[in-house]
Each structure stands twice: as structure tokens, then as C-alpha cells.
Amino acid sequence: MSVKEREVLVVARNLGNLDRLSSLDGPLVIFGTIATSIARKVKEGNGTAIIPSQYLKIILDTQDAVNAIFDNFDLYDAKTKSPLIHELLKHSYTRTK
């Protein structure tokens, strides 16, 4: 499965923070409309949402964006429910064998 096809389960770390994160004048807006869109989907999903991994590829282009996402959300592989980083490392390891 390519990274483009992978779906990511996004879980809010603080449900009370979602109003601010999903607003058009919130702190995520500087990372683009996809960042606020993710926050909005998580808010609509009562703290969770499934998104295409491509959204993360677009957003996570700076260290500030990485910090903002990982400060506010936990990311899991949507199929296995394991932390996304574990799945990516596992996938990377099997490709190098």
C-alpha cells in the first residue's frame, strides 16, 4: 500500500481546544486550510476523524506545523489503530530488506 492510499485516524488530545483550532482565525490557519479542515472534521467526529495521509504530507512541511499537529492530535493508522509512526517505520523497514 502506498503512503498516498493510507488513511490516518486523527484523535484530539484536548476536546475543548477544537473550537479554537478549527476556527478560521485559529492557530492552525497559518498552515493552510487543510489544517483547520482536519480540526473541523475531528470536532464534528466528537474527537476523532479519518483523513487521507496526503493531507499530512501537505501540512507537515515545516517544523512549526509538525509541532502544532503533534501538540494537538494523536495520529494512528486507520486500519491497524497503531501509532502512525510505528506503521511508517515498519513499512520503511520492510522496504529496505
Side-chain angles (χ1 to χ4, degrees):
M1 172 181 283
S2 75
V3 174
K4 290 180 185 178
E5 298 169 7
R6 187 178 302 272
E7 290 186 321
V8 177
L9 172 64
V10 181
V11 179
R13 289 191 172 182
N14 178 356
L15 291 177
N17 205 17
L18 289 175
D19 286 331
R20 189 172 68 87
L21 292 174
S22 63
S23 74
L24 294 178
D25 61 349
L28 295 182
V29 76
I30 62 172
F31 307 115
T33 56
I34 291 179
T36 55
S37 173
I38 290 171
R40 195 170 16 265
K41 286 181 182 210
V42 172
K43 180 181 172 184
E44 291 167 359
N46 294 319
T48 65
I50 294 179
I51 63 164
S53 63
Q54 226 170 355
Y55 284 12
L56 293 177
K57 185 177 179 182
I58 294 168
I59 295 169
L60 301 178
D61 62 345
T62 66
Q63 187 62 49
D64 287 341
V66 171
N67 292 342
I69 295 300
F70 284 98
D71 284 349
N72 294 291
F73 303 102
D74 291 317
L75 305 176
Y76 300 92
D77 181 89
K79 287 185 181 179
T80 65
K81 306 297 189 259
S82 66
L84 184 63
I85 190 70
H86 294 165
E87 289 299 313
L88 294 175
L89 289 173
K90 184 169 63 174
H91 179 72
S92 170
Y93 176 73
T94 58
R95 290 182 64 194
T96 59
K97 278 188 163 182

